[in-house]
Amino acid sequence: NSSLPDVADGGPIFTEKLKNWTEKNEKRIILSQIVSMYLEMLENTDKTKGHVRRISEELFTLKNSLPDGLKKLKDLMDLAKLPMSDLKIQRKAVNELFSVLQTLVETPTSVKKKRSQLQRRCKC
């Protein structure tokens, strides 16, 4: 029952998180996780009630249209666990630094420009 007084305790759980995700693609990642959590919550509810069944079906459809946020979340967790004081990890990181920086500064328009320049130069 969402009208009980304890619902307000501690503030919102999902809408507050959404404020931190501003980019469209970022929002889609967090929304995929939120939708999955709603589906998990509704998993053991009475689906003979029409409104519950319709909500579940809509959420399932939405989930299929969103990216796999769980994989992205796992990637972030793996990065957070990296022992950055480990010399081997540091050497690997330095070895990848140029590629990472190049990816960071690449924008979709610069990628398009590169492709068109390569196509003009190529005498295939």
Side-chain angles (χ1 to χ4, degrees):
N1 190 347
S2 64
S3 62
L4 293 176
D6 67 343
V7 170
D9 293 350
I13 54 173
F14 293 136
T15 52
E16 192 64 32
K17 302 284 186 242
L18 282 170
K19 291 177 185 175
N20 298 327
W21 298 68
T22 55
E23 299 285 326
K24 181 181 176 183
N25 290 335
E26 286 180 346
K27 266 199 192 312
R28 290 175 57 81
I29 292 168
I30 192 74
L31 283 169
S32 75
Q33 289 306 111
I34 292 171
V35 167
S36 293
M37 294 176 92
Y38 277 118
L39 283 169
E40 183 181 334
M41 183 178 74
L42 291 170
E43 207 169 83
N44 299 319
T45 57
D46 184 6
K47 297 223 177 40
T48 60
K49 295 179 181 176
H51 67 284
V52 173
R53 189 176 57 253
R54 280 191 298 280
I55 290 170
S56 294
E57 289 169 358
E58 284 297 320
L59 286 170
F60 187 77
T61 302
L62 282 170
K63 183 181 186 311
N64 288 335
S65 72
L66 292 168
D68 184 11
L70 199 55
K71 167 77 172 98
K72 290 173 176 50
L73 180 64
K74 184 185 176 313
D75 289 345
L76 288 172
M77 297 294 283
D78 289 345
L79 285 173
K81 291 178 190 172
L82 282 175
M84 293 311 292
S85 58
D86 181 300
L87 290 177
K88 183 177 178 183
I89 297 290
Q90 289 176 0
R91 286 193 302 270
K92 285 181 159 198
V94 168
N95 190 41
E96 297 174 17
L97 180 61
F98 181 73
S99 297
V100 170
L101 291 176
Q102 196 170 20
T103 303
L104 184 62
V105 296
E106 259 184 17
T107 60
T109 53
S110 68
V111 172
K112 288 178 188 174
K113 286 179 187 175
K114 281 184 186 177
R115 269 195 227 127
S116 64
Q117 288 172 351
L118 287 174
Q119 288 172 350
R120 277 186 260 143
R121 277 191 245 151
C122 182
K123 306 285 185 201
C124 302

